[in-house]
Amino acid sequence: MSDEVAAEILQTHILDLAAEGRRLDGRAPDDYRTVTIEPGFVATADGSALVRIGETAALCGVKLEPGKPFPDTPNAGVLTTNAELIPLSSPTFEPGPPQPGAIEVSRVVDRAIRAAETVDLTRLCVTPGEKSWVCYVDIHMLGHDGNLIDAGMLAAVSALSGAVLPAKRFGIAEADYPLDVQHLPVECTFVRLGDTIVVDPTFDEEHAAQGRITVATDESGRVVAMQKGLVGAFSPDDVKAVVRRAFVHGDRLREQVRGARR
Amino acid sequence: MSDEVAAEILQTHILDLAAEGRRLDGRAPDDYRTVTIEPGFVATADGSALVRIGETAALCGVKLEPGKPFPDTPNAGVLTTNAELIPLSSPTFEPGPPQPGAIEVSRVVDRAIRAAETVDLTRLCVTPGEKSWVCYVDIHMLGHDGNLIDAGMLAAVSALSGAVLPAKRFGIAEADYPLDVQHLPVECTFVRLGDTIVVDPTFDEEHAAQGRITVATDESGRVVAMQKGLVGAFSPDDVKAVVRRAFVHGDRLREQVRGARR
Amino acid sequence: MSDEVAAEILQTHILDLAAEGRRLDGRAPDDYRTVTIEPGFVATADGSALVRIGETAALCGVKLEPGKPFPDTPNAGVLTTNAELIPLSSPTFEPGPPQPGAIEVSRVVDRAIRAAETVDLTRLCVTPGEKSWVCYVDIHMLGHDGNLIDAGMLAAVSALSGAVLPAKRFGIAEADYPLDVQHLPVECTFVRLGDTIVVDPTFDEEHAAQGRITVATDESGRVVAMQKGLVGAFSPDDVKAVVRRAFVHGDRLREQVRGARR
Amino acid sequence: MGSVGAKEVPVLLDAEGRRIDGRRLDELRPIQIRAGPLPQADGSAFVEWGANKVMAAVYGPREVHPRHLQQSTKAVIQCRYNMAAFSVDERKRPGLDRRSQEISKVIAEAFESVVFAEEFPRTSIDVYIEVLQANAGTRCAGLVAGSVALADAGIPMVDLLPAVAVGKVAGAIALDLKKEEDNFGEADLPMALVPQSGRLVLLQMEGHMTEPELAKALDLGVEGCKVIYEKMKAALRERYSVRPLAAEAA
Amino acid sequence: MGSVGAKEVPVLLDAEGRRIDGRRLDELRPIQIRAGPLPQADGSAFVEWGANKVMAAVYGPREVHPRHLQQSTKAVIQCRYNMAAFSVDERKRPGLDRRSQEISKVIAEAFESVVFAEEFPRTSIDVYIEVLQANAGTRCAGLVAGSVALADAGIPMVDLLPAVAVGKVAGAIALDLKKEEDNFGEADLPMALVPQSGRLVLLQMEGHMTEPELAKALDLGVEGCKVIYEKMKAALRERYSVRPLAAEAA
Amino acid sequence: MGSVGAKEVPVLLDAEGRRIDGRRLDELRPIQIRAGPLPQADGSAFVEWGANKVMAAVYGPREVHPRHLQQSTKAVIQCRYNMAAFSVDERKRPGLDRRSQEISKVIAEAFESVVFAEEFPRTSIDVYIEVLQANAGTRCAGLVAGSVALADAGIPMVDLLPAVAVGKVAGAIALDLKKEEDNFGEADLPMALVPQSGRLVLLQMEGHMTEPELAKALDLGVEGCKVIYEKMKAALRERYSVRPLAAEAA
């Protein structure tokens, strides 16, 4: 019971601050937390990155294995994205099969990767209809202080950017070679706190929020995915404003992804 | 608690009426509710029918796809029946994996289809041991006012009767052609209410019942499946009488299936 | 509540007895219960045995079927061990997917079979990389009065010892022939009761125990598997003493396995 | 029932009216019933019937798991019919398939039709049936084993539940089909009888029969059940008569 | 969105700006909405929208299952969006796949944004949406059906929730895509509007659009929702006007 | 252990008694332990051990989920050992396989052997171990990480639980196997020690060893655990010494 009361007091406080354009951690509404990208964190993966946004942490490992193309796309490789909200990373996550929250993260990140044509899947085809690379993008959340989608997306695109096809090990080519990443989508998430829409929400802000909205952009000025979540509403003008801000943050985040490549 | 009391009063009332040969909805013990059959309800299916028995509704969609014959029947196609008691159709159905009730409907309908040799499976073989048609009979319950088995069966046999093999789409023949339905099994279900055995029970009658019995017949005078269900008992003479009645109702229902074909 | 009190009184009593080197059923600490082995219990299996250790009973059935070797061991057959702690055999077992206790039994028995090279898997290869025998070792517990691992292991090794490859039925050879069993691993389990370590614990002793330890030995003087289980601890000297005792019991149990062969 | 496109059908009935194993049409396979083989259970039974081996155990009345199944006015009868992986010719994956779930349901309903469940409100009576070796007729063997196990557990019932399958083989109505007859025959009709009332609490059928054949099959099955009923009672008598001796020995 | 390596793309927009089915860019497919088709449900609706057929039912406020989801200050809104196995070209395995689970989540959040859930603490309001025949835009059709079903069930709400998808087809922003447009188009943007406030409670997007295209798409979608809103109200009016007649007949 | 029919075995021990990575038989791989890396957890630890990377978090004492596991006289210790999909050479399907379930069980029992569980009746203490990069010995690394995380969470324990695997490689008993040694060696024996009592609370073995080899392996493992114990204490000291600084900074 006292937990609920405490939560309500915190929520009110967050909303009161937001009404004055302030936030619990001192940020302005359009301030994004510090982002760090540590590529190559996992040696057993063919590409990997540990991304931190404040105290939120997402570890992505990419594995590339030979497999079969889908019957309806015989000339393309296969890419699959999975996010695990493991109970280690938050007292609110439970063991067991993926919950809707984890599925939403997986799918929103997957849509952006796919729509931006981040990886040219036709280049992952080995023998049409017979053999192609399967690219597994697995995201393991290692800390949840809000904004999981952005963290998962940054980890995924950073891991893909540094990935190497183990072509030699599987006898597909004489030497391994880097995965070709042709676009750099990033997601940018906002929540509504009263009349203020803040970027990069913390865990507490998400719980106080009256609606969440995520916009994925790529480096060529395209919006490639969007997702409204949580209880709450946005006007079309809110959405347009948020898209504008998403491009600004997106360009900066993309610079970080590029800078972290090695 | 008051729910339980109300249920008990209703049950007693149904049994009292039955003792006088009467039923809650005014039917006589051997009256079947009005049946309507709407074939071709689902354009995405290769055959379909929406069947209503009073306020019970079953929608069946048949899909035909190329697949592999079972190793022990290399010269035959594959037929599989599945009934979904989706929570939309009754406050008593729960989301999640199929419960025993749904499995029973699937299996009793499947047995009748199979035993009556409704579809000549050998005609679904394309290349022995290699390729055959797989016939999926999916039944979606859209309203539960009792007697799900009869409704599911009528929907299945009506959907099969109008089904067309998409042979052209799958490059198996120059043109699509109708599925050959050689027999017309229908199920007929009864429940015991005291000493009275009534046909086509409603939801409330099933809950008051002291035993349920289903008899599937075909147009050639054969019993092709039977299933006793619920708590309760039937004497061999009860069973014989019920089989007699099942043929009479069955012949009438078959007429309706034939009439609905198009 | 009174159940818990009764359990506690029983536990104290078992520990008090153990302190004097005594046990509830009159055995000395190093006495193993009477073991019976009934080979060929299941005619539908390719090898089988019903093993009883006191009132603990394990039925193992071995099935051999043609399948595909694993890609990384193209010259070897496949062996898989599964133990089912079916709710029939104990009031403490629940229906549903295998619980950790059942998985532990499966894996500890599997490790001993594998590490002892009980079956020469290369002799189960039919065509390298293409076709090999798959050997299913299924253990069904039919009574739980403690010491499931030893019972499961004895049943498995006895069933394997009498197994016949149904080579004729599957068209792989002109005639069926016996499975070649080259080693005879057996497990021997102990529990700590205070300062006394007793062999072959009953159900009640396991519940009173302060640690369980299992040692698998084979006929050539090798330890092939070990498993410490339950809450509790053993000193390295305890372990060494227990290994010694495991060889003595193991040799006797192996004699029984050999004697039961037919 | 006959598989579509299956291989050569064996001769199921010879010129003298003898079946594949030499039985007459109205003859049962040999049956052995043992009550009480499982000491950990509240009640148990082991049935060998032809080449079937089936074990049953009863636990209860006891607490209901999961709790929300609890009923305030009577015991819940839960039944789990399961086939061991090695009980059939081709290895079966462990766990309940759809067939086992359906059979579990109709067996539970059969037992609930005879148990005085209202004597044990808010409890569960769990019947576990394990098929160890299968050769047609396992659900009937399971009913017989479960019924004896319920009696062994002291659960009050209207009556025991003998059960048997009747079938149609090479055009003739035959009692208690074995595997080849079931595979290549024309129909299979398992049933369970309450001897006291002469009523059936389990009845299923698959295949095809005419109305007169069905009537004949029902009558033949009832007679078969009566024979099995005697064997069930004998097994329980033996169990009770052995008990005092065992008690003396102790 | 366009599958990688897929076959020949049909002509989605002709020289006169007509779409594959002859519609203009801002034209909706035909919509039929019927409130109350399912007598067993507390509320229901059936929507035929182009070649989509979607049924929705509402149960509640009622007890929460499983119990631990219960909230002390408001009702839980649970939503299950499901596609029938036969509703799509290639048969879909029964059960909720990841796509259906995601859609169920965002639809539930959309409804929770307009239902006065605090009026029914400790209860559940369950919205079941079944797609019987699919042809692009099923989540919007499901929202419309679910919303009318909620109204039919008498659940108090801020407003109805009209919904529609806007897309990009052959470079042009187009309202209410049908299957071929969705498969071969460049973007899909489903949304649900609260007409009273002019705000969106569901919004998703996949594909690619520039900022100006997106702005245009949002405006076009809002206009489309307004048209659908009128049809939803008409369906409910018809439902209520029929009721007294039925009552008289009884 | 050595796979049947596997390819060429590398040279695991050279003429000078050096192992594949140059270590002596009684030498550990480098170990780094960091306590408290996860701010959201009640306790946490990150262990890099050779080429293993393992994270652990502890939550509790807290409410027990699911409720029926609650114990009236003590805390339940729940453990989940999980391998990330990308932590091994061939991608692992997400979710707990049978191996992970077995390891979770024996690790939970090891922790329960040293935690004063009776101080927290009706609660759960949950230990989550995630293997991010695996190179043999992950369960020992997990035990070390979990144990430091428990201490970091302030859970009262008899002692920390250092752990290590000993193996048999090219006929010799060797401490702390790495992947190639584990794959091509003859035996693997992981253990966890309570330093205060000198007793083992986790012990498993697979492969083959003679009695004298086993005795030698046990002794070597105990010595290895003692070294690791010191590193665990150092990590916790560092954590505590950092805390006040952080507090000042705040």
Side-chain angles (χ1 to χ4, degrees):
Chain A
M1 195 57 70
S2 83
D3 274 10
E4 280 177 35
V5 173
E8 216 183 298
I9 290 171
L10 180 61
Q11 180 175 4
T12 308
H13 182 51
I14 288 173
L15 292 172
D16 288 349
L17 281 175
E20 307 167 16
R22 295 165 58 207
R23 298 170 77 173
L24 209 55
D25 55 7
R27 284 188 284 161
D30 206 44
D31 282 356
Y32 211 98
R33 286 172 289 180
T34 301
V35 172
T36 64
I37 303 178
E38 190 174 340
F41 187 84
V42 178
T44 41
D46 298 311
S48 66
L50 174 61
V51 166
R52 293 179 193 279
I53 303 178
E55 293 188 343
T56 288
L59 174 60
C60 177
V62 167
K63 295 287 275 185
L64 288 145
E65 294 178 1
K68 242 181 132 59
F70 287 123
D72 52 342
T73 52
N75 299 311
V78 173
L79 184 144
T80 167
T81 305
N82 185 52
E84 296 275 311
L85 306 192
I86 48 174
L88 169 136
S89 56
S90 172
T92 61
F93 295 159
E94 285 167 27
Q99 297 300 301
I103 290 170
E104 187 181 32
V105 172
S106 303
R107 285 185 54 85
V108 174
V109 171
D110 188 75
R111 274 206 287 277
I113 293 176
R114 218 171 276 281
E117 293 170 318
T118 310
V119 174
D120 181 354
L121 293 182
T122 60
R123 299 196 49 184
L124 295 186
C125 179
V126 178
T127 314
E130 292 285 316
K131 196 177 190 175
S132 71
W133 289 98
V134 180
C135 180
Y136 293 101
V137 179
D138 285 294
I139 302 166
H140 233 55
M141 289 298 164
L142 292 183
H144 176 15
D145 189 22
N147 201 5
L148 297 177
I149 294 175
D150 291 14
M153 179 80 233
L154 281 171
V157 81
S158 300
L160 286 167
S161 289
V164 170
L165 287 139
K168 194 174 171 215
R169 176 152 69 99
F170 289 111
I172 287 173
E174 298 272 304
D176 298 347
Y177 55 92
L179 182 70
D180 185 38
V181 170
Q182 56 188 8
H183 291 289
L184 281 186
V186 299
E187 314 254 10
C188 189
T189 294
F190 304 81
V191 293
R192 163 187 299 288
L193 299 170
D195 289 334
T196 309
I197 295 177
V198 304
V199 76
D200 179 27
T202 62
F203 182 92
D204 290 331
E205 287 173 336
E206 287 181 353
H207 279 75
Q210 296 139 340
R212 187 196 72 214
I213 189 161
T214 299
V215 180
T217 59
D218 76 0
E219 80 294 341
S220 68
R222 302 182 302 177
V223 177
V224 292
M226 289 177 42
Q227 180 88 342
K228 185 256 153 184
L230 302 184
V231 174
F234 293 90
S235 71
D237 285 344
D238 289 339
V239 177
K240 292 168 194 170
V242 142
V243 168
R244 188 80 297 277
R245 291 162 68 182
F247 272 109
V248 177
H249 288 291
D251 287 343
R252 195 181 42 70
L253 292 168
R254 261 181 289 277
E255 272 318 299
Q256 273 205 270
V257 172
R258 284 193 198 97
R261 271 185 192 170
R262 57 177 188 188
Chain B
M1 195 58 69
S2 84
D3 273 11
E4 279 177 35
V5 172
E8 216 183 298
I9 290 171
L10 180 61
Q11 179 174 7
T12 308
H13 181 52
I14 288 172
L15 292 172
D16 288 348
L17 281 176
E20 307 167 16
R22 295 165 59 206
R23 298 170 76 173
L24 209 55
D25 56 7
R27 284 188 286 161
D30 206 43
D31 282 355
Y32 211 97
R33 286 172 289 181
T34 301
V35 172
T36 63
I37 303 178
E38 191 173 341
F41 188 83
V42 178
T44 41
D46 298 310
S48 67
L50 174 62
V51 166
R52 293 179 192 279
I53 303 179
E55 293 189 343
T56 288
L59 174 60
C60 177
V62 167
K63 296 287 275 185
L64 288 145
E65 295 178 0
K68 242 182 131 59
F70 287 122
D72 53 343
T73 53
N75 299 311
V78 173
L79 185 143
T80 167
T81 306
N82 186 53
E84 296 276 310
L85 306 191
I86 49 174
L88 168 136
S89 57
S90 172
T92 61
F93 295 159
E94 285 167 26
Q99 296 300 300
I103 290 170
E104 188 181 31
V105 172
S106 302
R107 285 184 54 83
V108 174
V109 171
D110 187 75
R111 275 207 287 278
I113 293 175
R114 218 170 277 281
E117 293 170 319
T118 310
V119 175
D120 182 353
L121 293 182
T122 60
R123 299 196 51 183
L124 295 186
C125 179
V126 178
T127 314
E130 291 286 316
K131 195 177 191 175
S132 71
W133 289 97
V134 180
C135 181
Y136 293 101
V137 179
D138 284 293
I139 301 166
H140 233 56
M141 289 298 165
L142 292 183
H144 176 15
D145 188 22
N147 201 5
L148 297 176
I149 294 176
D150 291 14
M153 179 81 233
L154 281 171
V157 81
S158 300
L160 286 167
S161 288
V164 169
L165 286 140
K168 196 177 169 211
R169 175 152 68 101
F170 289 110
I172 286 172
E174 297 274 303
D176 297 347
Y177 54 92
L179 181 71
D180 185 38
V181 170
Q182 56 188 9
H183 291 288
L184 281 186
V186 299
E187 314 254 9
C188 189
T189 294
F190 303 81
V191 293
R192 165 188 298 291
L193 299 170
D195 290 333
T196 309
I197 295 177
V198 305
V199 76
D200 179 26
T202 63
F203 182 91
D204 289 331
E205 287 174 336
E206 286 181 353
H207 279 74
Q210 295 140 340
R212 187 196 72 214
I213 189 161
T214 299
V215 179
T217 59
D218 76 0
E219 80 294 343
S220 68
R222 303 183 302 178
V223 178
V224 291
M226 288 176 44
Q227 180 86 342
K228 185 256 152 183
L230 303 184
V231 174
F234 293 89
S235 71
D237 284 344
D238 290 339
V239 177
K240 291 168 194 171
V242 143
V243 168
R244 187 81 295 277
R245 290 162 69 183
F247 272 109
V248 177
H249 289 290
D251 287 343
R252 197 181 40 70
L253 292 168
R254 262 183 288 278
E255 272 317 298
Q256 273 205 274
V257 173
R258 286 194 197 97
R261 272 186 190 168
R262 57 176 192 188
Chain C
M1 196 57 69
S2 83
D3 273 11
E4 279 176 36
V5 173
E8 216 184 298
I9 290 171
L10 180 61
Q11 180 174 4
T12 307
H13 182 51
I14 288 173
L15 293 172
D16 288 349
L17 282 175
E20 308 166 17
R22 295 164 60 207
R23 299 170 76 174
L24 209 56
D25 55 7
R27 285 188 285 161
D30 206 43
D31 283 356
Y32 210 98
R33 286 172 290 180
T34 301
V35 172
T36 64
I37 303 178
E38 191 174 339
F41 187 83
V42 177
T44 41
D46 298 311
S48 67
L50 173 62
V51 166
R52 293 178 193 279
I53 303 179
E55 292 188 344
T56 289
L59 174 61
C60 176
V62 167
K63 296 286 276 185
L64 287 146
E65 294 178 1
K68 243 182 131 56
F70 288 123
D72 53 343
T73 53
N75 299 310
V78 173
L79 184 143
T80 166
T81 306
N82 185 53
E84 296 275 311
L85 306 192
I86 48 174
L88 169 137
S89 57
S90 172
T92 61
F93 295 160
E94 284 167 26
Q99 297 299 302
I103 290 169
E104 187 182 31
V105 172
S106 301
R107 286 185 53 83
V108 174
V109 171
D110 188 74
R111 275 207 287 276
I113 293 176
R114 218 170 277 281
E117 293 171 319
T118 311
V119 174
D120 181 353
L121 292 182
T122 61
R123 298 196 51 183
L124 294 186
C125 179
V126 178
T127 314
E130 291 285 316
K131 195 178 192 176
S132 71
W133 288 98
V134 180
C135 181
Y136 294 102
V137 179
D138 285 295
I139 301 166
H140 232 57
M141 289 297 165
L142 292 182
H144 176 15
D145 189 21
N147 201 6
L148 297 177
I149 295 175
D150 290 15
M153 180 80 232
L154 281 172
V157 81
S158 301
L160 286 167
S161 288
V164 170
L165 287 139
K168 195 176 169 213
R169 176 152 69 100
F170 288 112
I172 287 172
E174 297 274 304
D176 297 348
Y177 54 93
L179 181 70
D180 186 38
V181 169
Q182 55 187 9
H183 291 290
L184 282 185
V186 300
E187 314 255 9
C188 189
T189 295
F190 304 81
V191 294
R192 164 186 299 289
L193 299 170
D195 289 334
T196 309
I197 296 177
V198 305
V199 76
D200 178 27
T202 62
F203 182 92
D204 290 331
E205 287 174 336
E206 287 181 353
H207 279 75
Q210 295 139 341
R212 187 196 72 213
I213 189 161
T214 299
V215 180
T217 60
D218 75 0
E219 81 294 342
S220 67
R222 304 182 301 177
V223 177
V224 292
M226 288 177 43
Q227 179 88 342
K228 185 256 153 182
L230 303 184
V231 175
F234 294 89
S235 72
D237 285 345
D238 290 340
V239 177
K240 292 168 194 170
V242 143
V243 167
R244 189 79 298 276
R245 290 163 69 182
F247 272 108
V248 177
H249 289 290
D251 287 342
R252 195 179 43 70
L253 292 167
R254 261 182 288 277
E255 272 318 298
Q256 273 204 272
V257 172
R258 285 194 198 98
R261 272 184 190 171
R262 57 175 191 189
Chain D
M1 297 308 91
S3 303
V4 177
K7 17 205 143 155
E8 66 297 353
V9 180
V11 176
L12 296 175
L13 208 59
D14 70 13
E16 283 87 54
R18 293 278 170 175
R19 292 152 71 180
I20 197 162
D21 55 358
R23 281 185 291 154
R24 293 183 311 275
L25 288 171
D26 62 351
E27 200 176 343
L28 292 164
R29 290 175 289 180
I31 306 179
Q32 302 289 337
I33 304 172
R34 194 150 73 86
L38 298 181
Q40 287 97 352
D42 295 319
S44 61
F46 182 59
V47 169
E48 289 193 69
W49 182 340
N52 289 305
K53 293 188 179 183
V54 177
M55 184 76 88
V58 167
Y59 290 89
R62 62 178 178 181
E63 258 187 76
V64 185
H65 286 289
R67 190 75 74 84
H68 68 88
L69 296 177
Q70 188 180 288
Q71 302 210 359
S72 58
T73 60
K74 59 177 182 179
V76 185
I77 315 289
Q78 301 195 84
C79 179
R80 181 181 185 267
Y81 162 100
N82 182 48
M83 300 191 86
F86 44 74
S87 66
V88 283
D89 281 343
E90 196 180 337
R91 190 221 180 213
K92 206 195 138 289
R93 278 186 50 194
L96 296 194
D97 58 13
R98 292 165 72 94
R99 176 182 168 275
S100 294
Q101 289 185 70
E102 185 204 352
I103 292 177
S104 297
K105 179 179 190 286
V106 293
I107 291 182
E109 289 169 343
F111 285 138
E112 209 179 327
S113 303
V114 291
V115 165
F116 291 108
E118 60 286 354
E119 291 190 16
F120 309 102
R122 298 183 189 284
T123 68
S124 178
I125 297 170
D126 301 326
V127 184
Y128 298 117
I129 295 167
E130 292 286 329
V131 178
L132 306 177
Q133 184 179 301
N135 190 292
T138 57
R139 82 193 69 182
C140 294
L143 271 157
V144 167
S147 181
V148 172
L150 279 163
D152 183 43
I155 306 292
M157 291 181 290
V158 172
D159 205 344
L160 292 171
L161 274 194
V164 74
V166 183
K168 185 173 163 192
V169 169
I173 301 305
L175 187 64
D176 187 22
L177 305 192
K178 74 191 297 278
K179 190 170 64 183
E180 292 82 354
E181 297 177 318
D182 189 42
N183 286 349
F184 297 105
E186 294 108 81
D188 183 39
L189 188 148
M191 65 179 81
L193 181 78
V194 187
Q196 209 168 68
S197 69
R199 284 186 168 178
L200 305 167
V201 288
L202 180 138
L203 182 67
Q204 297 183 288
M205 199 276 250
E206 108 173 87
H208 32 79
M209 283 186 181
T210 60
E211 246 189 284
E213 284 169 348
L214 190 76
K216 193 173 167 186
L218 286 166
D219 297 341
L220 184 59
V222 168
E223 292 312 306
C225 284
K226 288 179 185 166
V227 176
I228 290 153
Y229 185 44
E230 295 307 316
K231 290 179 190 281
M232 293 167 78
K233 286 189 291 185
L236 284 163
R237 268 196 303 272
E238 192 177 341
R239 163 74 158 150
Y240 297 134
S241 65
V242 169
R243 253 187 194 148
L245 284 170
E248 274 173 45
Chain E
M1 297 306 93
S3 303
V4 176
K7 1 188 159 169
E8 67 297 354
V9 180
V11 176
L12 295 176
L13 208 60
D14 70 12
E16 283 89 53
R18 293 278 169 174
R19 293 152 70 182
I20 197 161
D21 54 359
R23 280 185 291 155
R24 294 182 311 274
L25 288 169
D26 63 351
E27 199 175 343
L28 292 165
R29 290 175 287 179
I31 305 180
Q32 303 290 335
I33 305 171
R34 193 151 72 85
L38 298 180
Q40 287 98 352
D42 294 320
S44 61
F46 182 58
V47 168
E48 289 194 70
W49 182 340
N52 289 303
K53 293 187 179 184
V54 177
M55 184 78 88
V58 167
Y59 290 90
R62 63 177 177 180
E63 258 186 77
V64 185
H65 284 290
R67 190 76 72 84
H68 69 88
L69 297 177
Q70 188 181 288
Q71 301 209 1
S72 57
T73 60
K74 60 178 181 178
V76 185
I77 315 290
Q78 301 195 84
C79 179
R80 181 180 185 268
Y81 162 100
N82 182 49
M83 301 191 86
F86 44 74
S87 65
V88 283
D89 281 343
E90 196 179 337
R91 190 223 180 213
K92 204 196 138 291
R93 276 187 52 194
L96 296 194
D97 57 13
R98 292 165 72 94
R99 176 182 169 275
S100 294
Q101 289 184 71
E102 186 203 350
I103 292 177
S104 297
K105 179 178 190 287
V106 293
I107 291 182
E109 290 168 342
F111 286 138
E112 210 179 327
S113 304
V114 290
V115 165
F116 290 108
E118 60 286 354
E119 291 192 16
F120 309 101
R122 300 183 187 284
T123 68
S124 179
I125 296 170
D126 300 326
V127 183
Y128 298 115
I129 295 169
E130 292 286 329
V131 178
L132 306 177
Q133 184 179 302
N135 191 292
T138 57
R139 81 193 69 183
C140 294
L143 270 157
V144 168
S147 180
V148 171
L150 279 162
D152 183 43
I155 306 291
M157 292 180 291
V158 172
D159 204 344
L160 292 172
L161 274 193
V164 74
V166 184
K168 185 173 162 192
V169 169
I173 301 303
L175 187 64
D176 187 20
L177 305 191
K178 74 191 298 278
K179 190 171 64 184
E180 292 81 357
E181 297 177 318
D182 189 42
N183 287 351
F184 298 104
E186 294 108 81
D188 183 39
L189 187 149
M191 65 179 80
L193 181 78
V194 188
Q196 211 168 67
S197 69
R199 284 185 169 182
L200 304 168
V201 287
L202 181 136
L203 182 67
Q204 297 183 288
M205 199 275 251
E206 108 174 86
H208 31 79
M209 283 186 180
T210 62
E211 246 189 283
E213 284 168 348
L214 191 75
K216 191 171 169 188
L218 287 166
D219 297 340
L220 184 58
V222 167
E223 291 313 305
C225 283
K226 288 180 186 164
V227 176
I228 291 153
Y229 185 44
E230 295 307 316
K231 290 179 190 281
M232 294 167 78
K233 287 189 289 186
L236 284 162
R237 267 196 303 273
E238 192 177 342
R239 163 75 158 149
Y240 297 133
S241 65
V242 169
R243 251 187 194 147
L245 283 170
E248 274 172 45
Chain F
M1 297 307 94
S3 303
V4 177
K7 10 200 150 158
E8 67 298 351
V9 180
V11 176
L12 295 176
L13 208 60
D14 70 12
E16 284 88 53
R18 294 277 169 175
R19 292 153 70 181
I20 197 161
D21 54 359
R23 281 185 291 156
R24 294 183 311 276
L25 288 170
D26 62 352
E27 199 176 343
L28 291 165
R29 291 175 288 180
I31 306 180
Q32 303 289 336
I33 305 171
R34 194 151 72 86
L38 297 181
Q40 288 97 352
D42 294 319
S44 62
F46 182 58
V47 169
E48 289 193 69
W49 183 340
N52 290 304
K53 292 189 179 181
V54 177
M55 184 76 89
V58 168
Y59 290 90
R62 63 177 177 181
E63 259 186 77
V64 185
H65 284 290
R67 190 77 73 85
H68 68 88
L69 296 178
Q70 187 179 287
Q71 300 210 2
S72 58
T73 60
K74 59 177 182 179
V76 185
I77 315 289
Q78 301 195 86
C79 179
R80 182 180 185 269
Y81 162 101
N82 183 48
M83 302 191 84
F86 45 74
S87 66
V88 283
D89 281 342
E90 196 180 336
R91 188 220 181 215
K92 205 194 138 292
R93 277 187 52 194
L96 297 194
D97 58 13
R98 292 165 72 94
R99 176 182 169 275
S100 294
Q101 289 184 70
E102 186 203 351
I103 293 177
S104 297
K105 178 179 191 286
V106 293
I107 291 182
E109 290 169 341
F111 286 138
E112 209 178 327
S113 303
V114 291
V115 166
F116 290 108
E118 60 285 354
E119 291 192 16
F120 309 102
R122 299 182 188 284
T123 69
S124 179
I125 296 170
D126 300 327
V127 184
Y128 299 115
I129 295 168
E130 291 286 330
V131 178
L132 306 177
Q133 183 179 303
N135 191 292
T138 56
R139 82 195 69 184
C140 294
L143 271 157
V144 168
S147 180
V148 172
L150 279 163
D152 183 44
I155 306 292
M157 290 180 292
V158 172
D159 205 345
L160 292 170
L161 274 193
V164 75
V166 183
K168 185 173 162 192
V169 168
I173 301 304
L175 187 64
D176 187 21
L177 304 192
K178 74 190 298 274
K179 190 170 65 184
E180 292 81 355
E181 296 177 317
D182 189 42
N183 287 351
F184 298 104
E186 293 108 80
D188 183 39
L189 187 149
M191 65 179 80
L193 181 78
V194 188
Q196 210 168 68
S197 69
R199 284 186 168 179
L200 305 167
V201 288
L202 180 135
L203 182 67
Q204 298 184 287
M205 198 275 250
E206 108 173 87
H208 31 79
M209 283 187 180
T210 61
E211 247 188 283
E213 285 169 348
L214 191 76
K216 191 173 169 188
L218 287 166
D219 297 340
L220 184 57
V222 168
E223 291 314 305
C225 284
K226 287 179 186 166
V227 177
I228 292 154
Y229 185 44
E230 294 308 316
K231 291 180 189 281
M232 293 166 79
K233 286 189 291 185
L236 284 163
R237 268 195 304 272
E238 191 176 343
R239 163 73 159 150
Y240 296 133
S241 66
V242 169
R243 252 189 194 147
L245 283 171
E248 274 171 45

